[in-house]
Amino acid sequence: MLFNSYIYIFVFLPITFIIYFYLIKKRLIILSKTFLIFSSLFFYAYWNIMYLPLILISMLFNYSIGNSFSEIKKQRIKKIILVFGISINLILLGYFKYSDFFIENINNLFHVHLSLLNLALPLAISFFTFQQIAYLVDSYKGETKEYNFLNYALFVTFFPQLIAGPIVHHKEMMPQFANIWNLSKNYKNIALGIFIFSIGLFKKVVIADTFALWANNGFDIATHLNMIEAWVVSLSYTFELYFDFSGYTDMAIGSALLFNIKLPINFFSPYKSLNIQDFWRRWHITLGRFLKEYIYIPLGGNRTSKVRTYINLLITFILAGLWHGASWLFVFWGFLHGMALVIHRIWHNFNFKMNKILAWFITFNFINISWVFFRAKDWDSAIKILHGMFLGELILPEKLYVLHDFNIKLGYVFSDIQGKDKTFIFVIFAFIIVLFFKNSIEYMSSFKPTKWTLIWSVILFVYSVLSLTKVSEFIYFNF
Amino acid sequence: MFKKWVNNFFLVVFFIFICIGIFNYIIDPYGIYNFNINLPKIMQEDKIRLIKAIKIKDIKPASIILGTSRAETGYNPENTYFLQPSFNAGNSGASMYEERKYFEYALYQGNLKQVLLVIDYIMFDALQQRHVLDFDTYFNQSIFFKYKYLFSLKTLRDSIRTIKQNKKDYIAYLYNGQREHNYKLKYIMDHGGYSKVFYDKNYYINYLPEYKYKDTHKLSFKDFNIILNLCYKYNIKLTIIFGPSHILQWEALDRYIGYKNWLKWKKDIVLDVYDLARKYNQKPFKVVDFAIYNKWTSEKIPTNLQDNMKYYWESSHYKNCLGELVLNYLKYRKPKGLGSELNIDNIDQHLNNLKIQRKKYIKYFDIKKIK
C-alpha cells in the first residue's frame, strides 16, 4: 500500500488508528499490539500477498536466533550461530535480489547461456534484512534487552517504516513499543504527525512527481538532449529523488507519530552540504549509520593505516551501491562516492580550506552527476545525459532573440522532455527550497498549534490529496 | 490546544473537500457523471483515456475500433460496417498495450463480437507503454471509481475552465468515441493552412525500430498476440488494417526508422497472424493494407490558405470521408485500388510493389523540402 493513496490516507490509517486506541482504551494491550502487527502485515501484503510468508519466516528465524544468544554461554558457539544467522539473511537477499545479476555476469564472462530466474524483488527485503542483521549482531554482543516477541514483530513490521525505512535500530524502537506511556492517545503527537505527514505528501505528490515527468522523459525516452535539457533532466532527477524519498520519510515519521512512535531522522537538508562527508551525514542518515556500524567499523574503520582506511571507505560505499540494486551502474555510483570520500579525507588531512560557495558548488555538482549513474537504466542512457550536459548543443529560448547575433541557436528548448517554460522555473524553485528553507524536521521541532500552522497544514494536505489521481510509486520501493 | 488544532484541521479539510466535490459534480467537465448542465466539455481531451474506459463500461459495445489518433479521427462507429452499439477506442499516441487493455475491457463487458484494429508503427514502438500513470486503474472500475475524480485538482481546474470557456458550440469528441469530424479545421486555418502543417519531418525522431515500448522495454508484439489469441478464443471477428495515412508520412518515417524496417514490420504482422492461425488451425484474420500508393493517399497539398483538402488534415491524420471509403472497401471491396488484402503468399510481392510505387508517386512532391 502506498502512503500517497486514497486507501492509505482515508481508509487504512484512520481505521488502524481508531481500532488500536479503542483496544488500548479497553485495556487490551496485547490485543492492540497484535492488531497493529496484523495491520502492518496487511499493509505489506496489500501489494503482493505472495511474499508475506517470506517476511514472516525471516522474522521468526531472526527472533529465534537473537533469543538463543541469551541462553548460550560458549562464545564460539554463539559466533557460529551469528555467522549462520547473517549468512541465511544474506543468502535470502542474494537469491531474490542478485541471482539474475550474477547469472548475467557469468553468461557475459564465460559466453554461456544460463537462464535467468526472473524473480520479482520482494518488497522491502533490503530494509528488513538490514534491520534484522543489526539486531542479530547486537544480540550477539549482548546489547539487546527486549525479548518480547510482540515488540520484536512490531519492530520489524511496523507499517510506517516497513517498506522503505528509515532503517530503524532495535535500541530506538523496541523500548518505545514497551513503554506504557506511549499507549494513550497524545494530541500533540497527532498534530505533529498530521503536520509532517502533510509536508511529506506535498513533497511527493506535488514536487517529486512533477520532476519525475522530465527526468523519465530525459532518461528513458528522448534519444537526443540539448545542453540545457540535459542539465534540467539531471537536476530534475536530483530533486525528484530528494523530494520523493524525504517526502516518504516525512510521511513515515508522521504516520508513526500518530501511534506515539518516534522514527529516526533520515534527511537533514542534504543538498546544503559543503563536502561529501557532510552529505552522507544528511542523506539517508539511517543507511549511513548502518554502513558505518556494521560494515565500515568491522572492516577496521579508521583505526588502521591511512591506506587501509581508504580501502575500507571504498568497500563500504561499493557495497552501499550494490545494496541499492543489482547493477554495475549502482556499483559505479558507490565507487564514485567512495572515491569522493577518500579524496575528501586526503584533503582534510592536509588541512586545506576552501571557499564555502565553491565547496557547495563542487559537492552539489558531484552529487548531481553521480545521480546520473544511479538513475540510468544502462550505460548508454548515462552517457547520453552526460554527453548532453557537457557536449550538447546550446539552444536558448526564442524569447532571447537579442542573442541571435552571437551565433547562438534559438528555439524550443525542452521539446524532447515534454517540458515548457515552467520547467526552468520549477528547477529554480527547487533550488530555493532545498538551499534557503528550513527542512521539515526543523519545522516540526518548532511546531506550535497556531492558526498559521493549521492553515499551512490544510493547504498542503488538501492540495496534495487533490493531486492524488496520478498515484505513483516511491523510488526507494525498488531498493 | 493541540486537540483543538487537530479537530479544526479535520473540520476544515472535510468542508473544503465537500465543496469541491459538489462543484465538480455539477460542472462535470469530462461528461462522466451525466449531470445535465449545458456546458461544452472542452476539457475532455485531457482525460480521454479515462473517459473512453468509462464509456466502454456504459455502452457495452458489440464492436470496437482500436488504434491511435488516426483511427480515432478517421472511423465512424455508426457506419453500417460495424455491429451496433459500436465504440471508437482509438487514442492519441496509443501503445499496443493500451489498446489491448481497451479491447480486454470491452470483451469483459460481454457483448463484443467485432473488432477493427487500425495498426500504426508507433503503437509497436510507443515512447510510453502507458501514457498516463494510473492507466491500469481505469479497467478495474468499482462503483465509486469515477467519483474519486471529483476530489482532484485537475478536475477542479477543468471545471473552472469549462465555466470560463467561450466556445459555445465546441465538441471535441462524439459520444461514440470518434473525434468530432471537423475538429482540426480551426487549428489548420490558425496555422496558415494545410501546406504549413501538413508534413513534420521529425515526426519519428524519438522512435527506434525495435518493437519495444521505450520506457519499459516490454515487447509490443506480446500485446498484439494477446488480442489475436483472445479473438480466436472468444470467436471475435477481427480485421487488421494498415491505415491510409498520406504517402509523405512514410518519408518522415524513413528518416528515423527506415523504410525497409517499415516494410519488414508489415511482413512481421502478416507472418504473426498466419502463425497464430496455424496454431489454432483456423482461418487467419483478415489483414488489409491501406498504407499504399494510390490517388487517395497521394492527394495534392494546396498552397492557398483557403483551399481545402478532401481526405487529409495532415500527412498523419485522414478525414472521416476517407475512413468511410476504407469501411466501404472492407464491406464491398470498393473503390478498387484503395486497399490490398495481404496473405502469406502475396506479402513479398506486395512489399516489392510498394518500393516501386514509392519512386513513382513521390516524385510529384518536393522531395528536397521533405528531406
Side-chain angles (χ1 to χ4, degrees):
Chain A
M1 198 181 296
L2 292 165
F3 287 165
N4 55 328
S5 63
Y6 294 105
I7 183 98
Y8 180 77
I9 298 170
F10 295 113
V11 182
F12 177 81
L13 192 58
I15 289 177
T16 309
F17 176 84
I18 291 166
I19 296 178
Y20 176 70
F21 282 106
Y22 174 78
L23 293 172
I24 286 173
K25 200 176 167 187
K26 296 283 171 193
R27 299 186 184 280
L28 301 166
I29 308 299
I30 293 174
L31 191 62
S32 70
K33 283 186 180 175
T34 312
F35 168 74
L36 203 51
I37 294 165
F38 275 100
S39 302
S40 298
L41 292 173
F42 173 79
F43 174 86
Y44 182 78
Y46 187 81
W47 201 278
N48 188 345
I49 202 161
M50 255 177 68
Y51 293 113
L52 187 61
L54 188 77
I55 192 171
L56 288 173
I57 291 166
S58 166
M59 194 168 70
L60 285 168
F61 172 79
N62 285 298
Y63 178 71
S64 310
I65 297 271
N67 231 1
S68 70
F69 290 129
S70 63
E71 289 154 17
I72 298 164
K73 299 283 175 264
K74 283 190 177 173
Q75 198 59 25
R76 208 172 133 257
I77 296 175
K78 278 170 87 171
K79 196 165 191 173
I80 290 169
I81 292 175
L82 175 70
V83 171
F84 171 71
I86 294 176
S87 306
I88 295 292
N89 276 295
L90 291 178
I91 287 169
L92 200 70
L93 182 64
Y95 174 71
F96 282 106
K97 195 163 177 176
Y98 303 104
S99 316
D100 281 351
F101 179 59
F102 184 70
I103 295 169
E104 270 175 14
N105 281 294
I106 294 282
N107 284 346
N108 290 337
L109 210 62
F110 300 107
H111 303 288
V112 287
H113 299 283
L114 302 174
S115 321
L116 299 179
L117 302 179
N118 289 321
L119 297 167
L121 185 66
L123 203 59
I125 190 168
S126 308
F127 288 90
F128 68 70
T129 305
F130 265 33
Q131 261 174 236
Q132 296 190 99
I133 287 176
Y135 175 76
L136 288 187
V137 173
D138 292 351
S139 296
Y140 167 77
K141 290 180 188 167
E143 291 173 7
T144 51
K145 289 174 187 143
E146 173 70 53
Y147 297 115
N148 178 325
F149 179 70
L150 274 185
N151 291 343
Y152 179 79
L154 262 180
F155 151 66
V156 178
T157 63
F158 185 47
F159 68 87
Q161 52 83 37
L162 173 60
I163 309 292
I167 303 173
V168 290
H169 200 277
H170 58 88
K171 275 185 214 162
E172 64 202 357
M173 295 302 287
M174 284 165 68
Q176 292 195 69
F177 291 124
N179 188 346
I180 53 160
W181 297 107
N182 285 340
L183 294 176
S184 58
K185 223 185 285 171
N186 180 331
Y187 279 97
K188 185 181 176 187
N189 283 342
I190 296 170
L192 279 172
I194 289 169
F195 178 69
I196 196 160
F197 187 92
S198 304
I199 294 176
L201 191 62
F202 187 84
K203 278 183 181 176
K204 164 64 185 164
V205 176
V206 181
I207 306 179
D209 286 353
T210 305
F211 279 116
L213 174 73
W214 303 316
N216 293 345
N217 280 326
F219 273 97
D220 300 334
I221 294 172
T223 44
H224 311 88
L225 293 170
N226 64 51
M227 188 181 277
I228 293 181
E229 264 180 334
W231 276 98
V232 164
V233 167
S234 70
L235 288 169
S236 291
Y237 183 66
T238 294
F239 291 129
E240 181 202 349
L241 185 61
Y242 170 66
F243 286 110
D244 186 285
F245 196 18
S246 73
Y248 172 86
T249 308
D250 289 346
M251 282 188 262
I253 290 172
S255 302
L257 267 174
L258 300 181
F259 298 87
N260 299 320
I261 300 296
K262 291 186 174 102
L263 294 181
I265 297 168
N266 216 16
F267 288 90
F268 205 85
S269 305
Y271 293 151
K272 287 178 185 168
S273 307
L274 299 182
N275 61 58
I276 192 69
Q277 194 176 36
D278 188 21
F279 173 76
W280 276 102
R281 285 181 185 140
R282 294 160 173 268
W283 176 274
H284 205 171
I285 297 166
T286 55
L287 175 68
R289 181 178 69 178
F290 181 92
L291 295 172
K292 186 181 163 195
E293 285 179 23
Y294 299 98
I295 299 177
Y296 179 66
I297 291 174
L299 282 171
N302 58 2
R303 290 161 296 161
T304 49
S305 68
K306 279 184 182 170
V307 175
R308 182 66 212 183
T309 303
Y310 302 150
I311 292 171
N312 291 343
L313 272 173
L314 267 181
I315 293 172
T316 305
F317 275 86
I318 286 171
L319 288 175
L322 204 55
W323 176 83
H324 281 93
S327 144
W328 287 110
L329 282 154
F330 283 121
V331 174
F332 186 64
W333 169 83
F335 171 77
L336 284 179
H337 276 257
M339 281 304 291
L341 279 155
V342 169
I343 292 166
H344 170 259
R345 199 160 276 235
I346 295 169
W347 181 274
H348 187 73
N349 287 343
F350 280 109
N351 219 7
F352 291 148
K353 298 278 178 222
M354 191 186 282
N355 172 284
K356 277 189 176 177
I357 294 172
L358 182 63
W360 172 83
F361 182 79
I362 292 171
T363 309
F364 182 81
N365 276 291
F366 167 76
I367 293 160
N368 183 43
I369 289 166
S370 66
W371 285 142
V372 171
F373 296 99
F374 190 87
R375 167 61 177 83
K377 280 185 177 159
D378 49 43
W379 292 99
D380 288 344
S381 309
I383 290 163
K384 173 188 75 183
I385 304 289
L386 293 173
H387 181 271
M389 285 166 77
F390 297 104
L391 300 168
E393 189 182 11
L394 180 64
I395 301 174
L396 293 176
E398 278 170 344
K399 286 175 189 168
L400 303 171
Y401 55 87
V402 285
L403 296 173
H404 193 260
D405 297 339
F406 295 96
N407 211 15
I408 293 173
K409 193 172 172 185
L410 302 176
Y412 188 27
V413 180
F414 300 115
S415 57
D416 294 314
I417 58 169
Q418 290 185 25
K420 291 175 184 157
D421 290 347
K422 70 170 183 183
T423 309
F424 196 67
I425 295 164
F426 250 80
V427 172
I428 303 286
F429 176 66
F431 265 119
I432 292 170
I433 291 179
V434 299
L435 296 180
F436 300 108
F437 276 65
K438 285 187 202 171
N439 59 53
S440 46
I441 299 299
E442 288 170 312
Y443 279 118
M444 194 175 75
S445 37
S446 60
F447 176 85
K448 286 191 177 69
T450 61
K451 70 173 178 189
W452 289 111
T453 53
L454 179 71
I455 290 168
W456 273 111
S457 302
V458 167
I459 290 172
L460 295 179
F461 184 79
V462 169
Y463 194 92
S464 307
V465 169
L466 290 177
S467 309
L468 271 186
T469 40
K470 43 171 189 177
V471 168
S472 63
E473 283 180 32
F474 290 92
I475 295 173
Y476 261 70
F477 278 27
N478 303 317
F479 299 143
Chain B
M1 193 85 160
F2 284 103
K3 189 175 180 180
K4 196 179 165 195
W5 190 95
V6 171
N7 289 340
N8 284 342
F9 175 85
F10 286 117
L11 210 70
V12 176
V13 166
F14 181 75
F15 178 74
I16 294 173
F17 280 141
I18 290 294
C19 289
I20 290 174
I22 291 171
F23 177 70
N24 283 338
Y25 185 81
I26 291 170
I27 304 302
D28 190 10
Y30 312 128
I32 54 179
Y33 303 115
N34 302 325
F35 192 87
N36 286 328
I37 187 164
N38 194 18
L39 284 169
K41 309 296 180 194
I42 59 161
M43 299 313 297
Q44 280 189 327
E45 190 161 359
D46 280 12
K47 282 278 179 202
I48 194 62
R49 279 170 163 77
L50 166 73
I51 295 166
K52 289 201 172 184
I54 291 171
K55 297 269 187 204
I56 285 174
K57 193 180 176 192
D58 289 348
I59 293 172
K60 302 192 185 342
S63 62
I64 193 165
I65 300 157
L66 302 173
T68 62
S69 56
R70 296 172 193 169
E72 186 183 44
T73 307
Y75 301 97
N76 182 358
E78 281 155 39
N79 186 293
T80 52
Y81 172 74
F82 296 108
L83 294 169
Q84 298 299 320
S86 180
F87 189 75
N88 189 325
N91 269 293
S92 177
S95 69
M96 190 47 81
Y97 173 81
E98 288 177 312
E99 290 306 291
R100 177 200 124 196
K101 294 294 279 186
Y102 284 107
F103 164 71
E104 286 175 336
Y105 199 53
L107 191 62
Y108 179 71
Q109 306 308 319
N111 198 24
L112 192 71
K113 293 176 187 71
Q114 182 191 12
V115 174
L116 176 68
L117 174 56
V118 187
I119 50 174
D120 281 315
Y121 193 89
I122 56 170
M123 295 173 82
F124 288 77
D125 219 16
L127 302 180
Q128 289 159 293
Q129 187 177 346
R130 303 167 186 82
H131 281 70
V132 273
L133 286 171
D134 56 345
F135 181 75
D136 288 350
T137 67
Y138 297 173
F139 306 97
N140 187 18
Q141 296 179 21
S142 65
I143 318 162
F144 304 110
F145 171 76
K146 60 185 178 184
Y147 298 102
K148 77 175 183 182
Y149 293 93
L150 290 174
F151 306 103
S152 149
L153 201 65
K154 168 107 182 75
T155 313
L156 179 64
R157 284 198 198 112
D158 289 345
S159 291
I160 294 167
R161 282 182 195 139
T162 303
I163 291 174
K164 284 166 79 176
Q165 50 92 19
N166 54 8
K167 298 171 182 174
K168 296 289 176 227
D169 303 316
Y170 180 87
I171 303 169
Y173 291 88
L174 303 173
Y175 182 76
N176 57 33
Q178 192 189 11
R179 274 286 195 173
E180 198 278 330
H181 292 176
N182 287 315
Y183 84 104
K184 268 214 155 178
L185 191 60
K186 187 173 181 310
Y187 169 83
I188 286 167
M189 291 303 128
D190 288 349
H191 285 78
Y194 286 92
S195 63
K196 301 286 180 199
V197 300
F198 196 80
Y199 180 72
D200 176 7
K201 66 181 179 184
N202 292 323
Y203 190 96
Y204 295 94
I205 190 166
N206 284 319
Y207 293 92
L208 294 170
E210 51 183 18
Y211 305 155
K212 279 180 188 170
Y213 307 120
K214 215 168 167 191
D215 54 346
T216 60
H217 302 280
K218 298 260 169 72
L219 293 171
S220 50
F221 259 93
K222 196 180 148 201
D223 295 310
F224 178 66
N225 283 337
I226 289 173
I227 296 178
L228 267 59
N229 274 304
L230 287 171
C231 284
Y232 273 124
K233 195 173 168 190
Y234 291 96
N235 204 19
I236 309 282
K237 186 192 168 196
L238 169 69
T239 305
I240 301 162
I241 64 170
F242 299 93
S245 288
H246 195 275
I247 60 168
L248 287 189
Q249 187 65 21
W250 317 129
E251 298 309 309
L253 184 142
D254 184 40
R255 271 174 72 89
Y256 294 99
I257 291 174
Y259 196 81
K260 270 186 190 169
N261 286 322
W262 184 58
L263 298 184
K264 180 180 175 299
W265 167 69
K266 287 189 175 187
K267 186 171 176 177
D268 288 340
I269 293 284
V270 172
L271 294 180
D272 197 62
V273 169
Y274 270 72
D275 278 350
L276 222 64
R278 214 173 293 138
K279 182 183 151 191
Y280 283 94
N281 203 18
Q282 291 208 32
K283 217 177 135 192
F285 292 118
K286 194 179 195 181
V287 182
V288 186
D289 191 1
F290 292 98
I292 60 176
Y293 296 84
N294 53 39
K295 64 178 181 184
W296 296 278
T297 58
S298 59
E299 186 183 2
K300 204 179 157 203
I301 308 154
T303 46
N304 287 334
L305 175 64
Q306 299 309 322
D307 290 346
N308 198 11
M309 281 188 87
K310 190 171 179 188
Y311 298 117
Y312 290 93
W313 294 114
E314 14 70 24
S315 63
S316 169
H317 297 96
Y318 37 95
K319 295 184 180 179
N320 183 63
C321 59
L322 187 54
E324 291 289 303
L325 289 179
V326 167
L327 298 176
N328 208 47
Y329 186 92
L330 291 174
K331 272 190 291 187
Y332 310 115
R333 301 182 70 110
K334 282 178 185 170
K336 262 194 161 183
L338 180 68
S340 177
E341 192 164 339
L342 302 180
N343 57 51
I344 201 152
D345 300 320
N346 71 8
I347 181 69
D348 288 325
Q349 182 60 46
H350 173 74
L351 298 181
N352 273 334
N353 287 344
L354 287 184
K355 280 189 235 170
I356 295 162
Q357 287 185 325
R358 180 188 182 199
K359 284 180 192 160
K360 187 178 148 192
Y361 274 85
I362 211 68
K363 66 184 176 193
Y364 298 116
F365 295 91
D366 187 350
I367 292 293
K368 273 184 194 164
K369 200 175 163 188
I370 291 166
K371 293 286 179 186

